[in-house]
Amino acid sequence: TEIYTLSLHDALPICSSVQWYNLRHISDEIANATQNWKGIKVYVKVILQNRKISVQIIPTAAALIIKALKEPIQQENRKQNIVENKNIRLEDIINAARIMRPRSESKHFSGVMKEILGTAQIIGCKIDGKCPHDLIVSINNGSLNCPLE
């Protein structure tokens, strides 16, 4: 699993005063927490509180869409001829927008959905067989009703 966190070189000076700090234990906790996200880049938040380590996964919009595509994990050094089904449901977009809502700058839920649809357009997938840009236009026109939350 590829993880974006502080590098160990940056993290060691921060935690050098803590005697019980164990990098192996923290890396094991991160590995256990990111098992469902194998092959997908996600952000990881490590919380050290009362000598207990907790790991929170903070997925990006692209990570949520890639997970919704349910594609097999591909190794970078091998070329595999896999037929990709780049079609996801609108419910997956709504669920991704609900997860991303607290981190979005948008005032309305429809704006968060448009952000997720823009990411889906960049990835190159279709939503229920339609182009994501067409769904953005239909949200702007009011023909596609977005849930309130």
Side-chain angles (χ1 to χ4, degrees):
T1 304
E2 294 185 47
I3 302 166
Y4 286 112
T5 58
L6 287 174
S7 67
L8 294 179
H9 183 266
D10 294 336
L12 285 176
I14 295 170
C15 300
S16 62
S17 63
V18 181
Q19 297 297 322
W20 57 270
Y21 187 73
N22 188 353
L23 290 176
R24 175 82 176 181
H25 181 65
I26 291 176
S27 64
D28 290 342
E29 289 290 325
I30 290 172
N32 289 337
T34 57
Q35 284 180 350
N36 294 337
W37 298 90
K38 189 165 185 154
I40 303 172
K41 294 180 182 180
V42 294
Y43 290 100
V44 176
K45 182 178 183 181
V46 178
I47 301 170
L48 303 170
Q49 186 175 24
N50 296 333
R51 293 187 164 214
K52 300 213 179 195
I53 299 168
S54 61
V55 177
Q56 293 178 353
I57 304 217
I58 304 170
T60 60
L64 292 169
I65 292 170
I66 291 170
K67 190 171 182 183
L69 286 171
K70 299 175 186 166
E71 289 188 1
I73 300 167
Q74 296 181 4
Q75 296 178 356
E76 292 181 14
N77 56 358
R78 295 184 185 172
K79 293 196 175 195
Q80 299 173 348
N81 296 326
I82 297 174
V83 178
E84 297 177 352
N85 182 13
K86 291 196 169 190
N87 193 15
I88 59 176
R89 299 176 301 147
L90 185 61
E91 290 83 23
D92 295 330
I93 296 294
I94 292 171
N95 290 337
R98 285 185 178 133
I99 293 171
M100 294 295 292
R101 176 72 171 137
R103 290 182 280 150
S104 176
E105 297 290 326
S106 179
K107 290 182 182 179
H108 303 289
F109 189 72
S110 62
V112 182
M113 280 190 60
K114 289 191 263 186
E115 289 176 9
I116 302 294
L117 287 169
T119 305
Q121 183 176 358
I122 290 172
I123 291 175
C125 63
K126 295 189 179 275
I127 291 86
D128 292 332
K130 297 179 184 176
C131 181
H133 187 72
D134 296 338
L135 293 174
I136 292 172
V137 170
S138 64
I139 288 173
N140 289 337
N141 293 339
S143 60
L144 178 66
N145 294 327
C146 295
L148 296 176
E149 284 298 320

